Amino acid sequence: MFNLNTLERRRLDFDLIYAYKIMNNLVELDCEEFFQPWYTPYRLRGNPRKMFENRCNNSQVQHSFSTRATKAWNGLPAEVATSPSLESFKCRLRSVDLKKFLTVVV
């Protein structure tokens, strides 16, 4: 009726926007406390700014911000992850299908 995103999608958008801010030094937080860049000499599919995804067995770490954001961030297309500004990142993020990262698909 109102064409609104679900709460889960809005939370995922917030996680990705905040991850963008952290990685581009737009907030006063150290990027290395949350994310570990994945450096490789090979050209990978997807975006060139992939993050290393830590393996975890307990649910506290599994549902933490950095783990949630890393999984979704690595699935972003290159043109979204390498956006030159926060506003362009937000606009491009709206057009990305993130259903594979949502548990409840409407």
Side-chain angles (χ1 to χ4, degrees), residues 18-31 34:
Y18 208 68
Y20 180 89
K21 288 179 179 181
I22 291 171
M23 290 190 293
N24 290 288
N25 298 319
L26 300 175
V27 291
E28 295 287 329
L29 295 172
D30 185 18
C31 180
F34 296 94

Side-chain angles (χ1 to χ4, degrees), residues 6-44:
T6 63
L7 177 60
E8 187 179 16
R9 170 61 196 245
R10 292 193 309 263
R11 285 180 178 161
L12 181 58
D13 287 349
F14 175 81
D15 285 349
L16 291 170
I17 290 167
Y18 208 68
Y20 180 89
K21 288 179 179 181
I22 291 171
M23 290 190 293
N24 290 288
N25 298 319
L26 300 175
V27 291
E28 295 287 329
L29 295 172
D30 185 18
C31 180
E32 293 169 359
E33 288 182 29
F34 296 94
F35 307 108
Q36 181 181 3
W38 187 12
Y39 298 111
T40 178
Y42 308 105
R43 183 162 172 84
L44 301 173

Side-chain angles (χ1 to χ4, degrees), residues 6-96:
T6 63
L7 177 60
E8 187 179 16
R9 170 61 196 245
R10 292 193 309 263
R11 285 180 178 161
L12 181 58
D13 287 349
F14 175 81
D15 285 349
L16 291 170
I17 290 167
Y18 208 68
Y20 180 89
K21 288 179 179 181
I22 291 171
M23 290 190 293
N24 290 288
N25 298 319
L26 300 175
V27 291
E28 295 287 329
L29 295 172
D30 185 18
C31 180
E32 293 169 359
E33 288 182 29
F34 296 94
F35 307 108
Q36 181 181 3
W38 187 12
Y39 298 111
T40 178
Y42 308 105
R43 183 162 172 84
L44 301 173
R45 283 182 259 168
N47 76 64
R49 298 184 70 193
K50 289 189 182 275
M51 297 293 145
F52 182 75
E53 191 175 325
N54 291 324
R55 302 287 182 228
C56 54
N57 291 331
N58 78 28
S59 63
Q60 288 178 335
V61 175
Q62 185 178 8
H63 299 294
S64 69
F65 162 73
S66 59
T67 305
R68 286 191 323 263
T70 299
K71 286 181 180 183
W73 182 269
N74 288 344
L76 290 176
E79 61 273 1
V80 177
T82 58
S83 296
S85 70
L86 180 60
E87 290 305 315
S88 65
F89 178 78
K90 289 178 182 180
C91 289
R92 293 174 184 181
L93 184 61
R94 283 188 216 119
S95 66
V96 176

